[in-house]
Amino acid sequence: MKFGRLDKLQHGYNAMTTCDSKMLMDIGYQVMEPKEILSFIDTTKETAFVILTGQISITWDEKTETMERRSLFDENPYCLHVPVNTQVQIKAVSAAEILIQKTENEKLFPAKFYRPADVQCDQFGAGMWNGTAERTVRTIFDYTNAPYSNMVNGEVINRPGRWSGYIPHTHPQPEVYTYKFDKPQGFGCSLIGEEAFKISHNSWSAIPGGDSHPQVTAPGYAMWYSWMIRHLPGDPWNKTRTDDPDHVWLLE
């Protein structure tokens, strides 16, 4: 299944993709109530926890940090990235929503806590095509700063009425996008190969390796999405990109 919708999130874990799928990643939203306490540990998978809304206290390896986020659009995220067999406890200070990403990885590596200042933030498409593909790209971790990981985690802010994932391009590694809008009625369009999907709040796209995947948001609606890539054995995503030859003239 290349596309899906969660619509209204439920308390607890809201699954999108699994390691058993072609995406090779467990991805979902954890919705927590104030004062709720949860514990996580996985014996076969590395895990990334990214705060989306609210405030939480997160504990691992006898360390405790606070994650807080009021705006997906104006604030870089906090993220905790841990290897297998790491006990993580989350206490919700307020109602909170957390994006959880997992994949199989037997390597042991030091857990890493990313603060907003640690997140790389770039402007893509500036000054090109009359500004129709300008977007903000945030990279929490990838092969450059976390070569021990089997996955990549970042975010994109799509300005209203503009494109991202542009020009159309492919890479062999699978990728998942999870979408939210500044207004719940916001919408856009995701293209995977020749298939089109109307993006809505809390929908997602599961992109098989080798398919192109541009997308656009409707005028008047800003779109946030998380982009998560699974490295392949012996073939990590190292900013890997093959541009569609029909559209490379746009880069001239």
Side-chain angles (χ1 to χ4, degrees):
M1 194 166 73
K2 293 183 179 179
F3 307 106
R5 301 183 194 280
L6 287 173
D7 298 320
K8 186 176 181 180
L9 299 183
Q10 304 298 314
H11 172 250
Y13 185 69
N14 297 258
M16 285 175 274
T17 68
T18 69
C19 281
D20 295 331
S21 71
K22 292 181 179 180
M23 296 302 102
L24 306 175
M25 295 178 285
D26 295 335
I27 294 172
Y29 293 132
Q30 185 75 46
V31 177
M32 299 182 68
E33 297 177 346
K35 300 183 180 180
E36 184 177 1
I37 300 175
L38 295 175
S39 292
F40 302 85
I41 189 168
D42 200 298
T43 59
T44 62
K45 298 167 188 170
E46 61 177 299
T47 307
F49 302 87
V50 180
I51 185 73
L52 301 185
T53 61
Q55 183 179 354
I56 62 172
S57 172
I58 191 163
T59 300
W60 76 100
D61 294 343
E62 300 183 346
K63 302 180 182 71
T64 299
E65 293 282 356
T66 297
M67 292 181 171
E68 183 176 13
R69 203 169 188 189
R70 290 165 291 183
S71 171
L72 290 172
F73 298 90
D74 301 323
E75 300 172 5
N76 284 356
Y78 288 89
C79 171
L80 175 64
H81 183 202
V82 301
V84 295
N85 291 317
T86 301
Q87 182 84 40
V88 175
Q89 184 183 80
I90 297 177
K91 298 180 182 179
V93 179
S94 67
E97 187 179 322
I98 304 148
L99 175 66
I100 300 177
Q101 176 195 19
K102 296 184 179 186
T103 197
E104 293 181 353
N105 187 354
E106 62 185 15
K107 298 175 193 168
L108 295 177
F109 55 85
K112 173 71 173 178
F113 185 74
Y114 296 88
R115 294 175 173 83
D118 300 321
V119 176
Q120 181 179 333
C121 190
D122 299 300
Q123 302 301 313
F124 284 14
M128 304 174 73
W129 316 307
N130 295 318
T132 54
E134 291 183 358
R135 68 271 194 195
T136 300
V137 179
R138 301 167 178 158
T139 304
I140 302 172
F141 62 87
D142 63 6
Y143 192 68
T144 301
N145 65 342
Y148 43 78
S149 176
N150 283 342
M151 55 192 193
V152 176
N153 192 297
E155 302 179 347
V156 172
I157 304 300
N158 241 59
R159 295 176 179 85
R162 300 184 187 183
W163 288 82
S164 61
Y166 203 80
I167 63 172
H169 64 277
T170 65
H171 45 75
Q173 300 83 8
E175 184 170 16
V176 176
Y177 292 154
T178 68
Y179 304 100
K180 291 181 181 290
F181 289 86
D182 59 342
K183 297 178 176 60
Q185 70 270 33
F187 67 99
C189 180
S190 170
L191 300 171
I192 299 180
E194 298 301 311
E195 298 181 59
F197 171 71
K198 181 180 178 182
I199 302 168
S200 59
H201 200 59
N202 293 328
S203 61
W204 78 88
S205 295
I207 304 153
D211 280 354
S212 64
H213 41 281
Q215 52 220 303
V216 65
T217 184
Y221 298 105
M223 180 171 74
W224 167 96
Y225 64 90
S226 177
W227 56 280
M228 293 165 284
I229 298 175
R230 175 53 154 92
H231 297 309
L232 297 177
D235 189 11
W237 184 86
N238 191 9
K239 298 177 174 57
T240 311
R241 181 184 182 115
T242 301
D243 293 324
D244 187 326
D246 288 341
H247 304 293
V248 293
W249 70 270
L250 287 162
L251 300 176
E252 297 174 357

